[in-house]
Amino acid sequence: MNENASSDVKAKRQILIGLSGGLSALADRMRSQHAIATKITTLAARAEAIAQRSWDLNKLNSQDLQRTMDGFVGEIKTFAKQAIDAAVRAGSEALLGKEVAEAIAAHSAEIARLTREIDSLPDAAAVRAILQPLSVTLNTLPARLKANTAMLKDVDAIGALATGLAERGDALAAGGTAGNRVAVELSRDLRQFAEEATTFSLKMASEAALAVKAISDMAQRTLGLSQGNPVSDQAPSATDRLMTLARTGPQAGQVWATSVSRTSRSSPVQGTPPGVKW
């Protein structure tokens, strides 16, 4: 191989390495989203346990209740803050996982084409031209597929419920003759939080996992191609992609379905995630 040909090969591979890095950054973004969802699921499980303890306060005599109350109220406030923080983070960082996965998988044919043609392409510019649509997708996904109104409504509802739990804790700390009633109401609100948070977080986690798999698969193929390793030149068919993506997530025509009817307060928690660059 002469010096010019060697330089062309290196330039081509460098483009693929950069693309692989961009894909990996997006995969990390979706892993972070999965971690947030897992955190909310964990909070939901804790809410169920605390709800039972709140209900059991009614079984205590006055002396035991007083000894228990301070620590319990502190736990409620700590839990509520953690839940609010998790909702804020979910609203500010969330992307629509299923749609991210589908958008990335739609470019599989470009990588398959490169697998067949990269050695015959004249230079790095030709490689860059083939990858231009995928480049555009990577740079526009965070803005184009950020959490939509329906998803943010679910996040806001979780944040509002968490805020309400803190208020119940304050009412419980105030004591008085209404203490038993407040304990029952707190138990009820904790169970509602657990139900809604579980529904939301499991959906968010499953869709984030779909996105991570689609992005990581493409990143591996791209990196392998940049290293000169054998890579399949068969791109998944549209049917294959749809069958995979349909295992979880919304039905056709839905982007994010609100699963539980909402009531009460509203505390918007949303934001615009940064773009992914490579």
Side-chain angles (χ1 to χ4, degrees):
M1 182 182 293
N2 61 41
E3 186 175 341
N4 288 338
S6 177
S7 177
D8 284 341
V9 169
K10 184 177 180 180
K12 292 176 186 178
R13 289 183 176 179
Q14 196 60 43
I15 292 172
L16 292 167
I17 290 170
L19 174 61
S20 178
L23 287 164
S24 295
L26 182 58
D28 287 343
R29 168 79 176 267
M30 299 310 298
R31 287 189 188 94
S32 176
Q33 182 165 319
H34 189 276
I36 298 167
T38 301
K39 171 69 173 178
I40 294 174
T41 303
T42 301
L43 287 169
R46 282 180 57 198
E48 285 282 5
I50 299 172
Q52 185 59 52
R53 289 169 54 206
S54 182
W55 182 268
D56 290 342
L57 290 177
N58 290 293
K59 301 176 183 179
L60 301 179
N61 58 43
S62 298
Q63 186 175 1
D64 290 340
L65 181 61
Q66 189 60 44
R67 281 200 303 265
T68 303
M69 192 60 69
D70 289 343
F72 184 71
V73 169
E75 183 178 357
I76 291 296
K77 291 186 175 182
T78 298
F79 175 86
K81 183 181 185 307
Q82 291 173 347
I84 292 169
D85 290 347
V88 169
R89 190 177 167 199
S92 64
E93 296 186 15
L95 300 179
L96 296 169
K98 176 178 178 291
E99 284 70 24
V100 169
E102 191 169 29
I104 292 298
H107 292 283
S108 293
E110 292 152 31
I111 303 300
R113 178 185 172 189
L114 276 180
T115 301
R116 296 189 300 269
E117 301 178 7
I118 190 166
D119 290 337
S120 62
L121 292 173
D123 51 29
V127 173
R128 192 175 290 110
I130 291 174
L131 293 175
Q132 179 63 20
L134 177 54
S135 173
V136 170
T137 293
L138 277 177
N139 283 302
T140 59
L141 268 182
R144 184 162 58 89
L145 293 180
K146 64 183 179 180
N148 61 8
T149 302
M151 185 177 182
L152 289 176
K153 183 178 178 182
D154 286 348
V155 174
D156 289 348
I158 292 172
L161 285 169
T163 300
L165 294 176
E167 294 169 357
R168 293 287 190 205
D170 289 336
L172 197 61
T177 57
N180 288 348
R181 175 178 56 80
V182 173
V184 171
E185 291 171 346
L186 175 60
S187 177
R188 179 200 63 201
D189 290 351
L190 282 160
R191 293 188 190 282
Q192 183 182 2
F193 173 88
E195 179 182 353
E196 300 200 17
T198 298
T199 300
F200 170 83
S201 63
L202 291 180
K203 180 180 181 61
M204 184 179 183
S206 67
E207 295 198 2
L210 278 178
V212 168
K213 184 179 187 309
I215 299 163
S216 296
D217 286 351
M218 182 167 286
Q220 283 186 329
R221 294 180 70 203
T222 304
L223 187 60
L225 189 57
S226 75
Q227 296 170 342
N229 297 332
V231 177
S232 172
D233 65 352
Q234 297 299 313
S237 68
T239 300
D240 291 338
R241 294 198 306 267
L242 288 174
M243 288 294 289
T244 299
L245 294 171
R247 292 188 187 118
T248 47
Q251 299 298 316
Q254 293 179 307
V255 178
W256 186 274
T258 303
S259 54
V260 184
S261 61
R262 308 300 184 198
T263 58
S264 74
R265 316 163 188 86
S266 174
S267 57
V269 268
Q270 51 189 293
T272 303
V276 175
K277 300 184 183 298
W278 62 279

